Amino acid sequence: MQVRAQIAMVMNLDKCIGCHTCSVTCKNVWTNRRGTEYMWFNDVETKPGVGYPKQWENQERWKGGWELKGGKLRLKAGGRLRKFATLFFNPELPTLDDYYEPWTYDYETLTTAPTSKHQPVAQPESQVTGRPLDLQWGPNWEDDLAGAPEHARLDPNLRDGVEEQVRLEYEKAFMFYLPRICEHCLNPSCVASCPSGAMYKRVEDGIVLVDQEQCRSWRMCVSGCPYKKVYFNWSTGKAEKCTLCYPRIEAGQPTICSETCVGKIRYLGVVLYDADRVQEAASVADEKDLLPAQLSLFLDPDDPEVREQARRDGIAEDWLDAARRSPVYALAVKHRVALPLHPEYRTLPMVWYVPPLSPVMSLVEGPGSEADPDDVFPAIDELRIPIEYLANMLTAGDPEPVRVSLRRLAAMRGWTREKNLGVDPDPALAAAVGMEPREIDAMFRLLAVAKYDERYVIPQTHGEIGLSPYARQGACGLDFEGGPGSCGALEKAKDPFGAEPLAAPGDGRGGGSNVAFLDFRKAT
Amino acid sequence: MSAQEKVRPISGWSTLAFALDWNRPPRQQATSPFWFLASDQFRFQRTRADVYSTPLGNGALRGMHVADCNALAARLGWMPSYPTFDRNPLDLTREAAEAGMEAPAYVVERLKAQELRFAAEDPDAPENFPRVLTLWRANLLGSSSKGHEYFLRHVLGVEDAAVRNVEAEPDQRPTDVVWHDEAPTGKFDLFTTIDFRMNGSALYSDVVLPAATWYEKYDLSSTDLHPFVHSFNQAVPPPWEAKTDFDIFGRVAERFSELAVEHLGTRTDLVAAPLLHDTPDELAQPFGEVRDWKRGECEPVPGKTMPKLVPVERDYTAVYRKWRALGPLAEQLGSSAKGIPLKPTVEIDQLRAANGEIDGRPALTRDVHMCEAILALSGVTNGRLAVEGFKGLEQRTGTRLADIAEEHADVRITFGDTQVQPRKVLASPEWSGMESRERRYNPFTINVERNVPFRTLTGRQQLYVEHAWMLEYGEALPTYRPPLNVLGVVGTQLSGEEGRKELHVRWLSPHNKWSIHSEFQDNLHMLTLFRGGPVVWLSDVDAREIEIADNDWCEVFNRNGVIVARAVVSHRIPPGIGLMYHSQDRHVNVPLSEITETRGGTDNSVTRISLKPTHLIGGYAQLSYGFNYYGPTGTQRDEMVAVRKLLGKPVY
């Protein structure tokens, strides 16, 4: 057992209102620069829909993530040989049309137009060519089922019989929002795809980053990531991606998307896992076993043995304390209501989702139904959002974990409603979903009333490990060429107290790599 | 002070916003009737007011045009109506003085002799045009102008206006209100907009005064959505020529006062004020009976059967001097919170200390002084005033109430306090909630729990309203009204062009997901996060019928105007509906219409103000005018439009 700590996220889809505040604050902080116009490290998609970039979930087309071949894990896009063969032409790279052609407007005309017959108007123009643009697609073109009758059928989750169940008709309409960032996977295929070793997963917190100095523009990470959350900056010629706002995380603050989330749907916390078994978990034969396999990697922070080993593996005491208070561990492991996004990609993603329940309850809120488990739960299988649709997204098609999650959420609602009405809830309701009353109460607190410091339990990064703070004086950490920091070129300073000069994290000096399949040179 | 729906520190705010510390009463106008006349939309009203009368009614509205109802409401003092008379009130007071009469008596005499008329009775006479508009914190044209194209044509005289409507036939026209054969266009002489965006209003303005944004000024903010008062603080100075709202008005006042030395001097004005809510005016016209002095049904008595007529001396050279200081009426008359007087005492000296003195009065020479004064003069931010207000209410009701506010009697929220953190407001007779340290605001809890009479005729929650007009409409009790049969009245809205696939849909314009009204709608991020310009949502069933595909350009049109927008086709929309999120201004990505060859319009280009006569009722208990509280709405949404695909490539 080798204990590692990961900062992970849970998003409660039951509470997302699709306001896109996360997208805008992320955009303003990270990708409002030349070369990043089309990038949205955080985007929010309406489901069912094809998403951004179009059909990113269709791995038959993009070949992202991993697959099992002959019982062995390999990149879906192929191993070293195919990488070399496609080094100069990568057929699985999304084009600008798959994202969208970023545009702006001729705003200037509104203040400079001369007297004219018609009211002046700012026309859209391409940020790429500068020419007038006939808008045909955008990063959120499908908001609230916009154009769904034309596009939503192409949602890759409508497969394996679900497409038969889903009718795109007014009376049967359903939708929910899916906010997405980088998954900061335990087994990141972007990292493994990089021919230059420029991508790395940080040992101390599991954040996946691109070393802007090492990146050689091959773009294999872009195609290798099945979530399409690595982007190519056309201006700098480097890959860029969601950083999990690491400068904030290091200071114990939530990511900007979490900080500004209006619906308070996001949770951030530490999850301890066994790094020795990552490859094994990603390699289970049946895709439906990937969720239990990933859950089995997560270590119980209350287990003295785990804590002892964690200390031996260099995890600080305050991180162990944070792991015990982790809302992510509670929702994913203890309560089993959070589920991973597309575990079948075998990257072991670390942004998990509580499935949406809202449209169900309107169907089952008959008189007395919330007190009677027999009335609440059968309706779970008659949701407007078919369970199988959610299963195709969250559990590699296995409806059972989704059902467990939704039943627990339904029971929690009935339970809490009884309490609010001054009635003692029937313990049978808790028992029916395999929970103790106090567990339901704890889950309710976390999902409904938890304050800032309960939703974000983020231990600060220890200054004594990794980089010398002294050597970083005057640097801002984000000031690579074309980066959002713009503090000027970073001079690598010599620490007068004798520490090594700045090490690029992931070059081995930061304590070794956390990734089972570090790069394609090692992958078979 | 900016507020979303609810100005919590209402007493202090209204004292300063309406200069009640120097002059009373202010002129305040209900906007729907104002624009109904000013933009000549009344000329296109082809249904009579009695079209929705019940057969069991009393005939109170028989034969009346809605503009006649409005003229009656002005004449009887139900609704404010400015300009009030067909002559300048400054001239009227001069004439009265020359005739050796008091101005109100003189005006009554002239009215009876029919030598003086209400402007609402002849809105298209040039002497009755509104001539000057200064727009502040509003996007009139891009957002709130119901009947947008009528505004462009009749108020502004814009060549591009796309009104396609026909005016009322002779037998459909008003009888009381004068009809001019030619509808006037371009009534305005000067249109000024204070804004920080080059939006639809600014584009049509003669003068644009660039304003500071929220992070470039000091200000206060409150809302109905939470119980806190917030401060705005200047993070950066206003860029280029932009100024804070405070500085803009201050500078205009300064220059105006300089010019007034030569042009106006000191004059006596005559304000015609409506019968007001929460005052004895509520009993002016009892029993719900409508008596029109003009028809000899009663005598014209100001404040009783017609508006109050209040002479106000105005020293126009002193406007700037008064702008810079808190006036003496602040403590002499205090402010009125729902009829309960709030009288500052120690607060005046506190403001002297905090703001400094000017001309012997507390200074208001900086924006923060204004904020300080608002907080000091409001019960929700000044516990002493709240307790005193409740004591006043105790005397009126005979029940103990002051204890509601006593727990925070010593709390005085200052601007500095709000800069540290948002401050929770205090329970105060300005509002009706029993909020406390333990409890959140909830309306009417003081009425329910402390037996303070509701502000109705009966003092109870009241559903039955026995007014002649309500009885005429069969609405003395709440009732269901089906959507108006618009097409039945105005006929088909389809173009009738050969071979064009067109469809009628009911027009909906809910609040926008991508902007706050029109604000931020032209922001690149907001535009990028959907379709990059104006869109109309259509059902896939309807879209199929008229061969419109998702993202096709289409025209939405009716007799009022034309919109050009992209179609969003979705099964989320039920058939029969066209939905355009409101306030999609026409200055971003809007091509020309093929029907009119003018610029496509806003969501309000296909709407029109439709006044409901019963909304005009006044002078009768709870149905009495209150600024931003009680008055007619625009009811523009009961409208039908036609939709069709734009055939050619969009032309800008």
Side-chain angles (χ1 to χ4, degrees), chain B residues 528-605:
Chain B
T528 300
L529 282 172
F530 196 41
R531 298 279 177 108
V535 291
V536 174
W537 289 70
L538 295 171
S539 147
D540 53 331
V541 178
D542 287 342
R544 221 170 9 249
E545 192 180 324
I546 48 177
E547 292 173 8
I548 286 179
D550 188 50
N551 204 38
D552 276 352
W553 284 101
C554 61
E555 286 177 290
V556 177
F557 56 98
N558 62 12
R559 65 206 184 287
N560 300 318
V562 184
I563 296 165
V564 184
R566 300 262 200 181
V568 173
V569 177
S570 175
H571 65 290
R572 183 172 75 98
I573 305 297
I577 282 174
L579 185 152
M580 186 176 194
Y581 288 121
H582 93 148
S583 300
Q584 297 189 45
D585 210 335
R586 61 199 293 174
H587 64 315
V588 172
N589 197 8
V590 176
L592 299 178
S593 155
E594 290 174 350
I595 296 172
T596 60
E597 296 177 337
T598 62
R599 179 77 60 218
T602 75
D603 55 289
N604 267 327
S605 286

Side-chain angles (χ1 to χ4, degrees), chain A residues 139-288:
Chain A
N140 184 37
W141 201 251
E142 307 167 284
D143 196 272
D144 289 2
L145 298 176
E150 275 182 43
H151 321 118
R153 284 272 160 227
L154 302 173
D155 179 338
N157 296 298
L158 295 175
R159 61 170 195 273
D160 303 334
V162 180
E163 65 274 23
E164 310 285 309
Q165 288 185 46
V166 172
R167 296 262 171 279
L168 301 178
E169 297 165 11
Y170 176 66
E171 297 287 348
K172 297 183 174 123
F174 73 87
M175 54 163 268
F176 61 95
Y177 300 108
L178 181 68
R180 301 206 300 122
I181 61 169
C182 166
E183 294 283 345
H184 298 278
C185 306
L186 297 183
N187 183 33
S189 52
C190 57
V191 175
S193 302
C194 178
S196 309
M199 295 197 65
Y200 57 100
K201 185 172 180 65
R202 298 213 302 196
V203 179
E204 63 269 30
D205 52 19
I207 296 175
V208 175
L209 294 171
V210 183
D211 182 336
Q212 293 292 306
E213 290 179 14
Q214 290 289 318
C215 176
R216 293 292 174 268
S217 321
W218 296 118
R219 283 169 271 181
M220 295 302 175
C221 51
V222 177
S223 50
C225 170
Y227 301 95
K228 289 291 161 284
K229 279 295 176 189
V230 190
Y231 304 84
F232 183 69
N233 180 324
W234 60 263
S235 176
T236 61
K238 311 280 185 179
E240 289 194 34
K241 61 178 292 299
C242 159
T243 65
L244 206 67
C245 289
Y246 70 83
R248 291 176 58 92
I249 293 285
E250 288 173 4
Q253 297 173 343
T255 61
I256 204 73
C257 53
S258 305
E259 174 80 46
T260 57
C261 177
V262 174
K264 300 179 179 175
I265 76 160
R266 299 193 188 217
Y267 299 83
L268 280 158
V270 173
V271 174
L272 302 178
Y273 68 98
D274 183 357
D276 285 343
R277 292 182 45 242
V278 166
Q279 183 172 4
E280 174 195 327
S283 308
V284 295
D286 187 347
E287 287 181 347
K288 292 188 172 62

